Amino acid sequence: MSLPPLSPEQLVKPDHFELRMSLIFATLFVSQGTHLPYFPLWLEAKGFHAEQIAVILAAPMFLRVVTTPMLTALADRAKDRANVYIALVAATMIISAGYFLPATYVGVLAVSLLVSIPWAPHSPMADSLSLSGVRRFGSNYTAMRKWGSISYFCANIVGGFILAATGPQAVPAIIFVALAAALVAGLWAPRMGKPRKASPLSATDIQHSAPSLFNAYFLYFTLGVGIITASHAFLYGFVSIYWKSIGISDSVVGLLWAWGVVSEVCMFVFFNRIFASVSVVRVMVIAGIGSIVRWIALPLVWPLGLGVVGFFGVQTLHAVSVAMVLIGLQKMIGETVSEERTGAAQGIAYFFNGFFMAAVTLASGPLYDRLGVGGFLAMIPIAIIGLVLIGLAARSAPQRPLRG
């Protein structure tokens, strides 16, 4: 279903468009760069055991798989997506204040569920606004988006030093202040009007276009990507807790997370120079093998006496196990899915990633409770299943790009 043409006002580029979008990306990723590595430490400091932590981390993932497409579809129909973005950031900030209340299990779980509803759409909506600028005015997406990676990296490092001085109790305050900064930046968001094409993750696009994507190659590939990605759930949920348990300081934990981000960015920069002629299936096989090597190596670093340097070495594999998966998925969609169906393709991939990540995160709590760092070994068969699905995708790969 085609959308109406742009109005004359929409053809006028907003003042300082790239600067304003760069500021939005920079501010929205500070809260995320604090939440992922340090929120589990705050939960542990509040006395929650591993299984409770897993539930608090996983339950919002299941919920946002459903709610994010609905909210992005709402943004597609709004008079201006910037207004929806501002409302969602404001709601996220207000709800996140619930973490300042007495930290009971039911209370923290409820706040985490509620805050995930408006929080999850921040990135896809910022992407939607910036991509409208790319289509209409020829703006450079990577030049704007890189500030999100930079701020995420800085949040990892600075957050670690703050926690080293104050302890994990500072985590809710950092998240709240970061969301307040994102709200201020959002008020300056460029007004773009309605999108010319539906935003990524549009529920309407999924309903109208998804059936044509249900071919063996696309399904096997996206399932494989989702499962390889899900093998990182134990890392995201419990590696900070593990590092702290063996005496690594908060500041070094932050540096370890930041080093993974640096490795990821380096892969984005050099991917085309190294893997330009490599097929997308082989890219994903390399990523899956990198994941397996990572899960084998992580539990061995400390027993072998490799120390913090060994963990930095293993974190370098983030460039392979995460960055190559992200790049490979987008490369596959770009090669085999026609433009008007890319929103639906992104939505299906988002669903698989979110669902499997939530399921493995939920299982990670009991694993860490019983096996400690040995739980990483349980991620190996998960990554292998992902590799098998990528292999099945290779067997059913189209001889020419899919256009249906």
Side-chain angles (χ1 to χ4, degrees), residues 112 117 125 130 137 188 209 236 301 322 387-388 390 395 399:
S112 297
I117 296 172
M125 290 193 62
S130 64
F137 318 121
W188 200 38
S209 305
Y236 295 148
V301 170
V322 173
L387 275 176
V388 170
I390 296 298
R395 293 183 61 182
Q399 298 304 309

Side-chain angles (χ1 to χ4, degrees), residues 59-385:
M61 295 180 188
F62 284 113
L63 181 62
R64 67 188 184 219
V65 165
V66 177
T67 59
T68 297
M70 294 180 181
L71 289 171
T72 52
L74 171 66
D76 283 349
R77 296 192 296 270
K79 184 177 180 180
D80 201 296
R81 288 159 291 168
N83 297 330
V84 180
Y85 176 79
I86 292 166
L88 291 174
V89 175
T92 306
M93 183 188 71
I94 293 168
I95 298 170
S96 74
Y99 289 127
F100 296 121
L101 299 173
T104 65
Y105 175 59
V106 173
V108 172
L109 178 59
V111 173
S112 297
L113 285 167
L114 289 173
V115 81
S116 71
I117 296 172
W119 199 350
H122 291 187
S123 292
M125 290 193 62
D127 281 336
S128 177
L129 285 170
S130 64
L131 290 174
S132 289
V134 172
R135 293 188 185 106
R136 299 178 194 180
F137 318 121
S139 298
N140 187 329
Y141 173 77
T142 57
M144 297 179 285
R145 177 58 177 78
K146 70 181 180 183
W147 292 103
S149 297
I150 292 170
S151 70
Y152 190 95
F153 166 81
C154 292
N156 291 164
I157 295 178
V158 175
F161 282 103
I162 292 174
L163 265 62
T166 65
Q169 64 266 22
V171 171
I174 298 171
I175 291 174
F176 184 85
V177 171
L179 289 168
L183 178 58
V184 172
L187 295 173
W188 200 38
R191 268 52 180 180
M192 307 291 288
K194 288 192 174 184
R196 189 172 188 174
K197 290 190 175 181
S199 302
L201 310 184
S202 165
T204 303
D205 267 2
I206 293 173
Q207 292 170 2
H208 285 85
S209 305
S212 64
L213 295 172
F214 288 144
N215 60 80
Y217 176 70
F218 180 84
L219 285 178
Y220 281 137
F221 197 99
T222 50
L223 280 168
V225 167
I227 292 174
I228 292 172
T229 300
S231 75
H232 292 68
F234 193 85
L235 175 86
Y236 295 148
F238 293 97
V239 76
S240 292
I241 294 173
Y242 165 64
W243 282 332
K244 287 284 292 178
S245 74
I246 57 177
I248 296 177
S249 68
D250 291 295
S251 56
V252 175
V253 169
L255 290 171
L256 284 165
W257 278 96
W259 183 248
V261 177
V262 170
S263 303
E264 180 181 329
V265 171
C266 287
M267 179 58 73
F268 278 115
V269 172
F270 296 107
F271 179 85
N272 285 334
R273 299 182 190 179
I274 303 172
F275 298 105
S277 60
V278 178
S279 73
V280 68
V281 168
R282 289 183 180 177
V283 166
M284 203 58 63
V285 168
I286 294 170
I289 293 172
S291 300
I292 293 168
V293 171
R294 196 175 184 183
W295 312 144
I296 293 172
L298 249 167
L300 298 176
V301 170
W302 206 249
L304 292 177
L306 300 178
V308 173
V309 173
F311 287 125
F312 274 102
V314 175
Q315 281 296 87
T316 304
L317 286 171
H318 204 74
V320 179
S321 71
V322 173
M324 290 185 71
V325 170
L326 294 172
I327 296 169
L329 174 63
Q330 299 308 316
K331 184 175 169 67
M332 183 277 290
I333 291 174
E335 290 176 351
T336 63
V337 178
S338 56
E339 184 179 359
E340 68 271 15
R341 293 192 169 101
T342 55
Q346 297 282 1
I348 294 168
Y350 178 90
F351 176 84
F352 288 153
N353 284 358
F355 179 82
F356 290 122
M357 179 66 76
V360 181
T361 299
L362 193 60
S364 294
L367 282 173
Y368 188 77
D369 235 3
R370 291 161 177 75
L371 304 176
V373 70
F376 278 110
L377 300 178
M379 299 298 105
I380 296 171
I382 294 174
I384 291 173
I385 292 171

